[in-house]
Amino acid sequence: MGILVTEESRGAEVDEFRQMLLSCAAEQRRKDGGDFDEKPKSFMKFNTDLLLDRLVCVTNGVSYLGIAIVNQLLSRGYSVRIIVDNEEDVNEIREMETSGEMTGLRNNAIEVALAKLSDVNGLAEAFEGCGSVFHTGAFVDPAGYSGYTKSMVDVEVKACENVMKACGISSSVRNCVLTSSLVTCIWHDEDENDNNCLENVPRVIDHKCWSDELLCINNKLWYALGKLRSERAAFEIANRTGLKLATICSGLITGRDFCIKNPTATIAYLKGVGEMYTRGLLATVDIDRLAKAHISVFEGMKKSAFGRYICFDRVVENEDGVQQLVQETGMNMDRVIGVASCSRLRRFQLSNSRLVQLMVRTHRCRDS
């Protein structure tokens, strides 16, 4: 495991990188019978691009989702640089090395960089040398009843903006994969007595749908608002800087003790859960599938993938599904079906077809 904390160590890595390229270029020229003094620019560019493609950066890599993404990257042969903002996280990664929770630590496939999400220049420095960045940041307020108070909206948006700006500043980063949420797609202002309003609300909720910001504010859906504003800000900065951006709009994450390890994030997502269930919009995704989806989108970005992708593997549609969700989250079942039993709200259909098609194509390419 490499710990990146000094300019000297980073400078040494750059020098080593340059020497390796020169060595590769010289060897190729000898094989081709060419003059060593000729500069093999195309060959050097190929090797540079190849190395950038294989080194990937993950923010919040010690989070539940971050760990899953890191392990997926390692299993596919990538090297990973994890961004942490304190020594405690560095120690936690060392503990993962001992426990075997991260599979790439023993063969030096992981580096650790110290950088604050509030420091654009520090992030840009930490990203240098990586071709792509995964921003998995999720912010919760342990003191807030919902796990995500109004004040956290600006915190999350600012951190996302800083990551995107840092990607734009970095000379090496070309792609960014942002973890967003399905709640950025599902909340729409709807008046059952207003036919014009109903005509403007799609029955199928897919990657083209955006939640209504004013509705989120009026209903104090702060988690949805934070994710919504962050994602929009990310696309605005990406368009301005030329960065290629893809976002994963994830359903409620489930899997190995997720809700125990991340109770506030679960509570924050589930605000308005009764209405989600009634409208057919309560969806979950297993942590492993979500991590694989991130990698599929990332690899697809080497070709034509970009933009938004909705990710879920199960829609909770009946009491059996609710019971399973109760077991996974520990929430009260009446909180979900209590609203549904006396409601006549319009139902919708969720679509993740764009992501499914991409993952099928990526899987076929990998097999071939």
Side-chain angles (χ1 to χ4, degrees):
M1 178 174 64
I3 307 295
L4 305 181
V5 292
T6 66
E7 280 294 326
E8 290 79 4
S9 63
R10 183 170 286 111
E13 289 180 0
V14 172
D15 289 339
E16 183 180 354
F17 173 74
R18 288 171 179 164
Q19 291 299 321
M20 180 179 64
L21 287 180
L22 289 172
S23 176
C24 290
E27 178 65 24
Q28 184 66 26
R29 279 296 172 188
R30 281 192 289 270
K31 290 180 179 179
D32 294 342
D35 187 349
F36 179 72
D37 290 332
E38 296 178 14
K39 295 181 179 180
K41 294 180 180 179
S42 61
F43 180 76
M44 290 185 70
K45 182 180 185 302
F46 171 79
N47 280 276
T48 302
D49 291 344
L50 181 63
L51 289 170
L52 289 177
D53 283 342
R54 304 312 297 181
L55 179 58
V56 183
C57 193
V58 180
T59 67
N60 293 348
V62 295
S63 67
Y64 191 77
L65 175 58
I67 293 170
I69 291 174
V70 168
N71 280 330
Q72 283 294 325
L73 287 166
L74 294 172
S75 71
R76 301 186 191 191
Y78 293 97
S79 295
V80 182
R81 182 178 296 165
I82 298 175
I83 305 299
V84 298
D85 64 1
N86 57 71
E87 290 291 345
E88 291 182 3
D89 286 343
V90 175
N91 293 333
E92 184 175 345
I93 292 175
R94 290 195 175 106
E95 291 175 2
M96 291 178 190
E97 179 178 15
T98 302
S99 67
E101 188 172 354
M102 277 190 177
T103 57
L105 290 169
R106 298 187 185 281
N107 58 10
N108 294 320
I110 288 181
E111 302 172 348
V112 180
L114 288 167
K116 299 285 186 182
L117 293 180
S118 58
D119 181 3
V120 175
N121 291 329
L123 286 169
E125 183 180 332
F127 294 164
E128 201 62 45
C130 298
S132 301
V133 171
F134 288 81
H135 180 45
T136 65
F139 295 85
V140 294
D141 180 5
Y145 173 75
S146 69
Y148 196 108
T149 58
K150 183 178 180 180
S151 63
M152 298 305 297
V153 173
D154 291 337
V155 175
E156 175 145 15
V157 174
K158 186 62 177 176
C160 183
E161 289 177 340
N162 289 343
V163 169
M164 297 302 298
K165 289 176 182 177
C167 288
I169 293 173
S170 168
S171 63
S172 62
V173 176
R174 294 166 297 189
N175 304 317
C176 180
V177 181
L178 170 67
T179 306
S180 187
S181 174
L182 181 58
V183 294
T184 64
C185 307
I186 66 173
W187 294 115
H188 299 275
D189 191 11
E190 179 184 337
D191 185 347
E192 296 288 350
N193 298 317
D194 186 346
N195 290 329
N196 290 328
C197 179
L198 291 176
E199 289 175 359
N200 292 327
V201 178
R203 285 194 175 276
V204 175
I205 302 296
D206 61 13
H207 62 280
K208 297 187 291 293
C209 299
W210 290 88
S211 290
D212 186 291
E213 185 169 321
L214 184 59
L215 182 145
C216 293
I217 295 172
N218 291 339
N219 290 278
K220 300 182 179 180
L221 299 167
W222 306 128
Y223 182 81
L225 183 64
K227 293 295 184 184
L228 179 63
R229 287 181 175 175
S230 294
E231 192 177 351
R232 282 179 166 163
F235 276 113
E236 180 181 341
I237 294 172
N239 289 336
R240 189 167 67 243
T241 60
L243 181 72
K244 194 171 185 181
L245 173 66
T247 63
I248 312 291
C249 301
S250 163
L252 176 66
I253 302 175
T254 59
R256 305 174 303 274
D257 299 327
F258 174 79
C259 297
I260 296 175
K261 296 179 180 179
N262 300 269
T264 50
T266 301
I267 294 171
Y269 184 101
L270 288 172
K271 190 168 184 181
V273 63
E275 186 172 338
M276 289 186 207
Y277 173 62
T278 303
R279 294 182 180 276
L281 299 174
L282 179 56
T284 65
V285 59
D286 179 76
I287 183 67
D288 291 330
R289 176 174 173 80
L290 179 58
K292 290 176 181 178
H294 277 73
I295 311 307
S296 292
V297 170
F298 157 64
E299 293 183 334
M301 294 176 77
K302 298 173 185 177
K303 295 182 179 179
S304 59
F306 72 98
R308 307 179 83 209
Y309 294 86
I310 285 181
C311 184
F312 64 89
D313 53 19
R314 178 168 62 101
V315 178
V316 180
E317 297 182 299
N318 51 47
E319 291 193 14
D320 288 340
V322 173
Q323 186 61 49
Q324 181 178 343
L325 184 62
V326 167
Q327 293 173 354
E328 293 170 341
T329 63
M331 69 178 183
N332 191 318
M333 188 169 181
D334 290 337
R335 185 181 173 192
V336 181
I337 63 176
V339 175
S341 61
C342 58
S343 176
R344 292 161 51 185
L345 294 172
R346 182 188 189 197
R347 288 186 63 83
F348 298 89
Q349 180 181 347
L350 288 172
S351 173
N352 60 354
S353 60
R354 187 170 190 244
L355 176 62
V356 170
Q357 292 170 7
L358 174 66
M359 293 184 73
V360 169
R361 289 197 303 269
T362 304
H363 183 71
R364 286 175 180 170
C365 290
R366 192 178 299 116
D367 287 346
S368 63

